[in-house]
Structures are given as C-alpha cells and as structure tokens.
C-alpha cells in the first residue's frame, strides 16, 4: 500500500463497500449496552480529535465511510494512531481469503503492540470479554484506558465471569483512582477473598480506606444466606484489625449504618470476645444459640473461639 490516506487504497478490495444493516445494528446494540453508552471505538475517535463519534461510527453508507476515513487522516495525531483506528474499522468487514484488516496492518507496518491492543478493544466492544483479555493482558502493551476497561469488566450486564476483572488487575496492575471504578472492583474482590479485599483497602488511603472497610463489612453480612456467608463472616472477624479499624468496626455495627445488617450484633459480640474487649466470655442464647442464624452457626463459632480454631459450616 503506497498511501493509507487514499481511500481507494485502504479499501482496494471493494471501494464501494458499505456496512450491512445487520453490522450497523449489531454495533449500535453493543453501544447501548456499553459503559455510559460509549464504545472504546468512540474513545479512540475522540483521542484523534473527532467530535460526535456516535454520529461517525458506524458509518451508514459508503459515503459516510469515506467521510470517516477523511476525518481520521486529517487528524493531527501520529500515523500509528490513525492507522490503528483504520485497522479497527477494517475488522468490521467480513472475512475474505486474506482479511482486509490483517492485510492493511502488514502493508503499513503497524507495530505489533498497536495491533494487539486494537484486537483487544475490538473484542471488548463486542462483549467478547475473555477473548479481549487474551490480547489486553499481553506484556508488550502499555495500559491504555485501564480504568474504563476495569469498569467494563466489573459492571457490563453481559460480563458474568467475576474472575476476569481479577485476571486483568493482577496481570496488568492498572492504576485505579476513580471512586466508581474502585467501588466496582472492590465489590468483585470482596466476593473472591475477604482477606484480599481487606488488605487492598488499606492501600487506598483516606477517606477511601474507611469507606471500603465499611463496604467490606456490609458485603459480607448482607450477602446471600448460606454457607458462603458463614465462611466469609468467620474470615471477617478473624482479620487483623488495627486499632483504628477496630473502632470503625464497632462504630459501623454498633451505632452506624451497619447496625441493622443480619447478625450485626452477634458479629460484633464475637469480635469483642476474641479480642478480649468485652471481659469474660459469656455465651448468651442470642449470640450463640443452638440454631443457625441466617446461615451462620454461632454455636460452632463459639466453640471455635474457645478452642482456638475456626470451623465454618
């Protein structure tokens, strides 16, 4: 390819090509289900300085496609950035013997890391999350749109695999500062491991630390009734709280918003017993009755405290 700025060279296989109605509708459907009705393609077009990407992509006709190409090449952005966006667009074209996107990337010598990133973003926009992470976790990549990717993995209505946000986080180590992204990721992390969430919250600094600490307590005690909540409740009360965290725990479950959570009073009582803050151990019928309370067997837990071991149902 001599010049990617010439439309007829980019689409040499069919200069009259236009998106099918089916392809257009599929892209629009993906956008409505995306975070804040914005595809990653929309973000890419914005980085090129293009206004109103919703009106530009997907192009509704061959002329619209030509106009989009023209706006892209007129952008003051670096060539590799413009070529990457064109590569993404060409991925919308149905497979041929040699796919136009692959042929274009080879013709313009698009660097591998740009191609890998665009492949990941393309699959992410199509709600193909596991496949997207195959590309977005490649070591060669510099994290781009990390918070937006994390928020999508945590909240997209079609993303139901709660391991994927953890895979992305622990592989890429993205910086997360947005409060809504922190909260969304923390919810996923707390479901996977109470202890991991506890120590992660400590690293966030104030005021986020206390808010996340209280969110963790809420998530555990307000979880679905059953063995999982019992296990996580035991894990929660055995965490190594600092003096400050101990005060937060008391305040949240004793007088704060968490006092009406299931087993809030009993959880606080057991924690105080363990830390010898409530004087002599005294098992009341309420705290350690013979029956399970909303999924937690307080009798077994009471015995565990005495014996120095933990046994969850």
């Amino acid at each position: 390819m001599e010049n990617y700025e010439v439309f007829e060279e980019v689409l040499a296989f069919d200069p009259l090509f236009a998106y099918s109605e089916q392809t257009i509708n599929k892209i629009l459907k993906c956008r409505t289900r995306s975070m804040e009705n914005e595809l990653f393609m929309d973000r890419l077009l914005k980085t090129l300085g293009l206004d109103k990407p919703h009106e530009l992509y997907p192009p509704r006709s061959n002329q619209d496609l030509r106009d989009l190409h023209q706006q892209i090449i007129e952008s003051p952005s670096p060539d590799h950035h413009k070529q990457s966006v064109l590569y993404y667009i060409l991925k919308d074209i149905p497979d041929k013997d040699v796919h136009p996107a692959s042929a274009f990337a080879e013709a313009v010598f698009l660097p591998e890391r740009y191609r890998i990133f665009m492949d990941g973003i393309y699959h992410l926009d199509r709600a193909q999350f596991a496949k997207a992470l195959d590309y977005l976790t490649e070591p060669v990549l510099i994290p781009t749109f990390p918070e937006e990717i994390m928020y999508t993995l945590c909240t997209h209505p079609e993303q139901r695999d709660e391991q994927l946000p953890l895979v992305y986080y622990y592989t890429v180590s993205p910086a997360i500062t947005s409060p809504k992204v922190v909260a969304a990721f923390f919810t996923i992390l707390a479901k996977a491991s109470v202890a991991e969430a506890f120590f992660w919250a400590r690293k966030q600094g104030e005021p986020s630390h206390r808010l996340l600490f209280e969110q963790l307590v809420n998530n555990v005690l307000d979880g679905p009734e059953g063995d999982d909540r019992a296990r996580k409740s035991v894990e929660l009360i055995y965490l190594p709280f600092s003096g400050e965290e101990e005060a937060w725990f008391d305040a949240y479950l004793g007088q704060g918003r968490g006092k009406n959570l299931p087993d809030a009073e009993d959880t606080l009582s057991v924690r105080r017993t363990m830390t010898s803050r409530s004087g002599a151990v005294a098992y009341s019928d309420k705290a350690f009755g013979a029956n399970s309370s909303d999924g937690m067997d307080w009798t077994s837990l009471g015995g565990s405290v005495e014996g120095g071991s933990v046994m969850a149902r």
Side-chain angles (χ1 to χ4, degrees), residues 288-301:
F288 300 103
N291 298 321
S292 295
S293 173
D294 292 327
M296 177 172 284
D297 186 338
W298 291 102
T299 303
S300 297
L301 182 56

Side-chain angles (χ1 to χ4, degrees), residues 198 202 209-210 213 236-254 267-268 270-277:
F198 170 73
R202 278 184 168 180
H209 181 195
R210 181 169 186 172
F213 178 86
L236 174 68
I237 62 173
Y238 270 81
L239 289 172
F241 294 169
S242 65
E244 186 177 43
E245 290 164 337
E246 204 75 59
W248 295 345
F249 192 73
D250 272 12
Y252 186 67
L253 294 183
T267 301
L268 189 55
V270 173
R271 176 71 189 186
R272 285 172 172 170
T273 299
M274 288 174 48
T275 55
S276 302
R277 294 176 55 216

Side-chain angles (χ1 to χ4, degrees), residues 169-170 176 182 185-186 189-190 193-216 235-249 271 275:
Y169 181 79
Y170 288 114
I176 302 177
V182 168
F185 174 68
F186 189 74
L189 183 60
S193 170
V194 173
E196 192 74 22
F198 170 73
F199 289 110
W200 191 82
R202 278 184 168 180
K203 300 175 183 178
Q204 305 312 304
E206 294 301 332
S208 296
H209 181 195
R210 181 169 186 172
L211 294 174
L212 294 174
F213 178 86
E214 293 178 349
Q215 181 183 334
L216 176 62
E235 189 177 356
L236 174 68
I237 62 173
Y238 270 81
L239 289 172
F241 294 169
S242 65
E244 186 177 43
E245 290 164 337
E246 204 75 59
W248 295 345
F249 192 73
R271 176 71 189 186
T275 55

Side-chain angles (χ1 to χ4, degrees), residues 160-231:
R160 300 180 181 89
D161 185 348
E162 294 182 346
Q163 291 301 310
L164 295 185
L166 302 177
V167 169
Y168 182 72
Y169 181 79
Y170 288 114
T171 304
V172 178
S173 299
I176 302 177
T177 58
S178 167
K180 72 175 183 180
V181 182
V182 168
F185 174 68
F186 189 74
T187 297
I188 299 294
L189 183 60
K191 289 181 181 179
S193 170
V194 173
E196 192 74 22
F198 170 73
F199 289 110
W200 191 82
R202 278 184 168 180
K203 300 175 183 178
Q204 305 312 304
E206 294 301 332
S208 296
H209 181 195
R210 181 169 186 172
L211 294 174
L212 294 174
F213 178 86
E214 293 178 349
Q215 181 183 334
L216 176 62
V217 176
N218 183 86
N219 288 357
V220 170
L221 297 186
D222 201 32
E225 179 181 343
D227 289 351
D228 187 57
R229 187 170 78 190
R231 177 184 60 79

